[in-house]
Amino acid sequence: MSETDETQSALGRFGDRITGFRDRIAEKPGQLRVYRVVVGVIGTLVLIGGIVAIPYPGPGWLIVFAGLAILGSEFMWAKRVLQFARGKYDAWTDWLGRQNLFVKLLVLTVTGLIVLATLWLLNALYLVAGWVGLDGWTWLKSPILG
């Protein structure tokens, strides 16, 4: 048996265990309700974390898609939103890849400004300024948390 076959076999067994677990929960309406609430809460928290992380370097969109996938395991609307969002994300990256350098730099600049604005609003810029002896720069204070 090849390594690929072994991996597929292991994934199949894992999928069977998950399906069995889910089927046992579905037999008891009270447990099903609790399970769906837990999946909803976890999926929503992951989704919100992903949305917050989108403008920052790192896996923001991956986290969004993970949150939607968690929600989609129990809620059909989330599965549809996940398919829609993945299609739009792929279309956006394809479009951006076809653009000239000016447009790519413009998108990068706007993303950087969003990151700076959120760091300013969260008072992170003033905090770091204080670490390096620039706490007199009061214009770095957040208007919300300052």
Side-chain angles (χ1 to χ4, degrees):
M1 185 180 277
S2 74
E3 188 175 328
T4 303
D5 292 337
E6 289 178 22
T7 302
Q8 288 176 346
S9 177
L11 288 174
R13 288 191 305 271
F14 179 73
D16 291 344
R17 279 187 277 174
I18 294 294
T19 302
F21 171 75
R22 180 64 177 78
D23 290 342
R24 286 190 303 279
I25 287 176
E27 293 172 359
K28 299 178 182 171
Q31 282 184 352
L32 179 60
R33 188 172 298 115
V34 169
Y35 177 77
R36 288 175 59 96
V37 167
V38 168
V39 168
V41 168
I42 292 171
T44 301
L45 290 174
V46 171
L47 179 62
I48 290 169
I51 290 169
V52 168
I54 286 172
Y56 298 98
W61 280 108
L62 179 63
I63 298 168
V64 167
F65 294 145
L68 286 172
I70 292 168
L71 290 167
S73 72
E74 283 300 310
F75 306 103
M76 192 51 131
W77 64 265
K79 197 175 282 192
R80 289 191 300 268
V81 170
L82 175 60
Q83 290 173 343
F84 176 80
R86 286 177 64 185
K88 293 299 180 185
Y89 177 81
D90 290 342
W92 164 255
T93 56
D94 290 345
W95 176 85
L96 189 58
R98 292 188 309 268
Q99 300 309 303
N100 62 34
L101 184 60
F102 175 77
V103 173
K104 291 176 184 177
L105 289 174
L106 181 63
V107 169
L108 182 64
T109 301
V110 169
T111 301
L113 290 173
I114 291 170
V115 170
L116 281 174
T118 56
L119 290 174
W120 176 61
L121 290 172
L122 294 172
N123 215 27
L125 296 179
Y126 187 69
L127 176 69
V128 172
W131 293 346
V132 294
L134 300 175
D135 44 0
W137 290 16
T138 56
W139 59 272
L140 290 175
K141 281 186 179 180
S142 167
I144 299 170
L145 303 174

